[in-house]
Amino acid sequence: MTIALPIRILLASSFLLLAACGDSGSDFSRPRETRNQPVELVLLEDGRPHPAVLAEEQLVRRGNGEEPQTLDPHLAEGVPSTHILRDLFEGLTTESPDGDVIPGAAARWNISRDARTYTFYLRRDSRWSNGDPLIAEDFVYGLRRSANPETASNSAVMLLPIQNAREVLAGELPAEELGISLLDEFTLQITLTGPTPYFLGMLTHPATYPVNRRNVEEFGDQFSRPGKLVSNGAFVLKSWKPRVSIELEKNPLFREADQTLIERVVYLPIEELSTEVTQFRSGGLDWTNEVPNNQFKWLQRYYPDELIISPWMGSYFFGFNLATEPFVENPELRQALILAIDRQVITEKVTQFGEQPSFALVPRGIDGYVPFSPEYADWTQEQRNEEARRLYELAGYSSDEPLRVEIRYNSSENHKKIALAIASMWKQVLGVNASLVNEEFRVFLQNRAQKAITQVFRAGWISDYNDPYSFLEIFRTGRRRTKLSSRNCGCDAILDEVGTERVRARRERLMFEAERVLLSDFVIIPIYTYVTKRLVDQHLRGWQNNVMDHHLTRYMFMLKTREPEAEVPAAKVEPEPELVPEPELVPEPEPQQGVNDVPSSEISDDEDMDVDGTSGEIQAEVEAEQATRTRKEGKGL
């Protein structure tokens, strides 16, 4: 859906509250103490919950954002797929509830003195879900399949630390030459090109998972479908109803099945965040993938115990299509657009959940690494705006000849609001005419990769492992997995050195230099570093916040509901928030409808109001906040 950006819309400041409140029949108006409450958690000596406090039905319903493209672990991309795959499969290593790397299918391992050779010893009692024994050959086969160019795995680039992986990925060597050797039925050895501090964490990623050879050879590219998929994790795939649900059930052959309490987990692909909140409030979800930014204060008020906010190892940014005009060979224009965005306004007025404004790619706090910070990060926003105007004119644009550009993003209320804010800032500071293009996730990824019709596009990266290299290596020239840049910014040679450097201080300096080169070429528009924000039902326990935001369902369990107490006089009901009538809107041109647009008949009244109302609200917020900041900066405040 292409959204035309209105120039002037007068909106009351409380209009977003109207959109956020939803239906008045739900339980938001009930006092918190009158909602269903779980019993008090009682733990046994071994730390497990006492059977008496567990719900009779151990079912978890998890919101999961977009529909996964596939559940083939070597082809899957994106967070929605990896959430499910971590339940279905287990790598040589796995993660504890707090995100620490712990033994998985491998009971233990040895690391050579030069930190290049890892020997893994598998558990001898592990089984595939079809009863086959899980053996070292399964991991050898899985890693070779992942690296094989015929598989066309976009995630296989993660395997580059393994000896000969670069040549195998390029098709210069057969997959059998990958640096993996089978020592015996339950022991394998992996040889690296150089010390790789994050290697054990990398082995928790689906790209390194084993697959059952007999299963793959029997069903080919259909092996990951329900009724066919053989997995080695805590759950097995029961059903997949596209755009409706993906249901898993407990795997009785999993090595720790007796410690897995959840019997079923249902993943629901819900892209509209307000719909997720509605489902949660009505009891249809126990765990939301995210929540809308414009409902933050309302959720803080009515769901303070369920609203969970936690730091997340990820960066939110936008990218330029450097393969076509207007951005190819025009660094002045790219830098102008980067400077004209007020990140503080976005995090304070649009996202509102504690995200940190950022001018870097790598988030702060990753194992002591200090990201590169460009000089203009220390300027006032007004100084950045002045420089942006100078560069904009130098690039050949003006108020008489403004830049016309599309901002493309995948379906999400939060992505839409951020894109609207950026378009408004570019209009206000530079006079840019930006239109927004909203696409379903798969279409968005396809168009972004093809670089035919994209200009500016939403992007972001959630680290696959706890190391800055995870963010930097996605910009390697020709990288299949992300296709974020089509130019060699000069990082490749530096990243090659990072992969072989053993001295930590030197390795950090090399990563810093790679980030400096990348950001000095103005390839991306950093916006902020992530936090996770979701609603979690108080009955759901057994998980912990962690910076990787990896939460394996096998650690979770549901508490039973507390018995209602004797009837007492009705509690005072907290009044519903006063709803302000919708203000009149200045008419705007009819939006153009593109190939991927949703017909207006398929958009609910509430959604339509939110599109118009949000854009006006964000524009008003942006203009007011920037005006206030300009006055303060002028007075030296």
Side-chain angles (χ1 to χ4, degrees):
M1 178 168 57
T2 304
I3 305 172
L5 201 64
I7 302 303
R8 292 179 179 274
I9 297 181
L10 302 176
L11 290 173
S13 61
S14 55
F15 181 65
L16 285 180
L17 182 61
L18 173 62
C21 289
D23 63 289
S24 59
S26 297
D27 66 350
F28 77 91
S29 61
R30 287 193 286 158
R32 196 174 305 123
E33 61 272 13
T34 66
R35 298 182 191 145
N36 288 337
Q37 297 293 315
V39 299
E40 184 177 352
L41 175 60
V42 179
L43 298 176
L44 300 173
E45 290 184 1
D46 62 1
R48 301 185 65 193
H50 194 288
V53 303
L54 294 175
E56 183 175 346
E57 183 179 30
Q58 289 295 315
L59 164 67
V60 178
R61 294 154 299 183
R62 296 178 60 166
N64 201 38
E66 294 95 355
E67 177 85 2
Q69 305 111 309
T70 178
L71 291 180
D72 180 335
H74 302 148
L75 292 178
E77 295 181 74
V79 174
S81 295
T82 57
H83 282 327
I84 301 170
L85 289 168
R86 292 181 197 280
D87 277 348
L88 290 171
F89 290 87
E90 182 176 57
L92 291 166
T93 62
T94 187
E95 292 165 295
S96 64
D98 62 6
D100 286 345
V101 177
I102 60 175
R108 60 188 178 90
W109 52 83
N110 294 331
I111 305 174
S112 63
R113 287 182 178 274
D114 63 0
R116 293 184 58 232
T117 303
Y118 287 68
T119 305
F120 294 92
Y121 303 88
L122 270 60
R123 305 173 192 273
R124 294 174 178 261
D125 58 347
S126 295
R127 291 281 185 274
W128 287 99
S129 58
N130 66 350
D132 290 347
L134 180 68
I135 56 178
E137 168 61 26
D138 295 321
F139 283 91
V140 173
Y141 173 72
L143 287 165
R144 287 175 177 171
R145 178 179 183 268
S146 184
N148 194 327
E150 294 182 2
T151 304
S153 169
N154 286 330
S155 300
V157 69
M158 290 187 61
L159 307 180
L160 283 175
I162 301 177
Q163 192 174 63
N164 294 336
R166 186 177 304 280
E167 292 78 8
V168 171
L169 289 171
E172 298 169 2
L173 287 177
E176 288 73 21
E177 294 297 321
L178 191 65
I180 306 169
S181 54
L182 190 65
L183 301 187
D184 63 39
E185 189 177 13
F186 295 102
T187 311
L188 71 150
Q189 197 168 78
I190 302 178
T191 303
L192 309 182
T193 57
T196 307
Y198 58 86
F199 184 64
L200 291 173
M202 191 187 86
L203 293 176
T204 68
H205 191 274
T208 69
Y209 286 169
V211 288
N212 186 287
R213 185 170 194 157
R214 187 155 59 95
N215 182 218
V216 175
E217 292 178 348
E218 181 179 358
F219 295 108
D221 59 5
Q222 297 295 308
F223 86 95
S224 60
R225 305 301 298 174
K228 300 175 182 177
L229 180 63
V230 173
S231 57
N232 73 320
F235 296 88
V236 295
L237 180 61
K238 182 179 180 181
S239 67
W240 184 349
K241 301 174 183 177
R243 299 186 179 277
V244 177
S245 67
I246 294 177
E247 184 173 349
L248 315 183
E249 61 183 5
K250 180 177 174 178
N251 178 9
L253 298 181
F254 179 59
R255 61 181 179 83
E256 291 187 351
D258 60 332
Q259 299 179 40
T260 303
L261 299 176
I262 295 297
E263 297 290 338
R264 287 193 301 141
V265 51
V266 179
Y267 283 91
L268 302 172
I270 305 173
E271 294 185 0
E272 292 296 328
L273 304 186
S274 57
T275 302
E276 270 203 313
V277 173
T278 300
Q279 290 258 34
F280 182 87
R281 290 168 53 194
S282 66
L285 271 181
D286 305 303
W287 172 293
T288 69
N289 183 58
E290 224 180 326
V291 293
N293 294 328
N294 65 343
Q295 297 189 20
F296 177 55
K297 293 180 180 178
W298 186 86
L299 291 170
Q300 270 190 322
R301 179 179 182 185
Y302 291 103
Y303 288 88
D305 298 328
E306 292 86 353
L307 181 60
I308 308 297
I309 302 171
S310 176
W312 196 11
M313 200 170 295
S315 289
Y316 190 101
F317 55 92
F318 283 77
F320 296 110
N321 182 354
L322 302 181
T324 61
E325 298 296 343
F327 300 116
V328 61
E329 304 303 332
N330 200 338
E332 292 84 7
L333 177 60
R334 302 197 301 268
Q335 186 179 8
L337 296 178
I338 292 170
L339 292 172
I341 296 173
D342 192 329
R343 290 146 180 83
Q344 191 167 339
V345 170
I346 289 177
T347 55
E348 290 180 358
K349 300 297 182 181
V350 182
T351 61
Q352 304 183 59
F353 275 86
E355 294 86 350
Q356 294 299 307
S358 177
F359 291 89
L361 170 64
V362 181
R364 290 184 176 273
I366 300 183
D367 198 25
Y369 173 77
V370 179
F372 168 75
S373 180
E375 179 185 5
Y376 50 79
D378 296 326
W379 297 356
T380 65
Q381 187 57 45
E382 184 53 38
Q383 289 174 319
R384 288 191 283 267
N385 290 346
E386 290 178 3
E387 178 65 5
R389 296 184 189 102
R390 185 187 73 81
L391 291 167
Y392 185 67
E393 292 182 6
L394 191 62
Y397 297 93
S398 64
S399 57
D400 295 329
E401 295 291 336
L403 171 69
R404 300 182 183 277
V405 68
E406 286 184 346
I407 304 176
R408 194 172 298 266
Y409 62 95
N410 55 294
S411 301
S412 164
E413 295 168 47
N414 289 349
H415 297 334
K416 176 180 65 182
K417 292 172 175 59
I418 293 169
L420 283 165
I422 289 174
S424 179
M425 292 172 183
W426 284 350
K427 179 68 176 178
Q428 182 181 355
V429 176
L430 302 174
V432 172
N433 291 325
S435 58
L436 310 187
V437 181
N438 166 25
E439 294 177 328
E440 186 268 338
F441 189 56
R442 295 189 189 192
V443 176
F444 170 76
L445 287 180
Q446 181 181 20
N447 286 335
R448 194 176 78 177
Q450 291 177 345
K451 296 184 180 298
I453 59 176
T454 54
Q455 292 183 316
V456 176
F457 52 85
R458 187 205 73 81
W461 191 250
I462 307 301
S463 182
D464 291 321
Y465 43 85
N466 194 348
D467 192 273
Y469 188 74
S470 174
F471 292 87
L472 299 170
E473 59 96 17
I474 65 176
F475 290 93
R476 279 186 178 275
T477 305
R479 189 181 194 273
R480 290 185 308 210
R481 187 176 179 189
T482 52
K483 294 185 172 67
L484 289 175
S485 175
S486 61
R487 61 191 289 130
N488 186 343
C489 65
C491 297
D492 290 3
I494 304 174
L495 293 176
D496 288 341
E497 290 188 64
V498 173
T500 59
E501 181 55 62
R502 297 181 59 183
V503 179
R504 174 170 175 168
R506 292 177 185 170
R507 186 173 183 271
E508 288 185 354
R509 285 198 296 270
L510 286 168
M511 291 190 292
F512 181 90
E513 178 63 13
E515 187 174 17
R516 185 195 68 77
V517 170
L518 173 70
L519 294 177
S520 297
D521 197 34
F522 313 115
V523 172
I524 62 169
I525 310 174
I527 303 296
Y528 60 75
T529 56
Y530 276 104
V531 294
T532 58
K533 55 230 185 203
R534 62 168 52 92
L535 294 168
V536 180
D537 192 290
Q538 288 289 286
H539 292 75
L540 180 60
R541 302 296 175 89
W543 59 274
Q544 297 180 36
N545 282 325
N546 62 76
V547 294
M548 299 300 295
D549 196 42
H550 295 169
H551 303 279
L552 281 65
T553 310
R554 71 183 179 96
Y555 296 125
M556 302 180 191
F557 55 90
M558 297 293 293
L559 294 177
K560 66 171 55 175
T561 299
R562 184 185 305 165
E563 292 291 335
E565 298 179 0
E567 189 171 336
V568 295
K572 181 180 178 180
V573 176
E574 190 172 352
E576 297 182 13
E578 182 180 354
L579 303 183
V580 180
E582 181 183 357
E584 294 183 4
L585 303 181
V586 176
E588 58 177 296
E590 283 291 321
Q592 298 178 347
Q593 193 165 25
V595 175
N596 299 306
D597 293 351
V598 179
S600 58
S601 61
E602 295 182 17
I603 303 175
S604 67
D605 292 340
D606 287 344
E607 184 182 17
D608 202 32
M609 286 168 44
D610 188 47
V611 169
D612 293 340
T614 301
S615 60
E617 177 70 15
I618 288 175
Q619 183 175 356
E621 291 275 13
V622 167
E623 292 177 354
E625 187 68 19
Q626 288 187 321
T628 300
R629 182 161 302 147
T630 299
R631 290 196 301 272
K632 288 183 178 180
E633 291 173 351
K635 295 178 181 179
L637 297 179

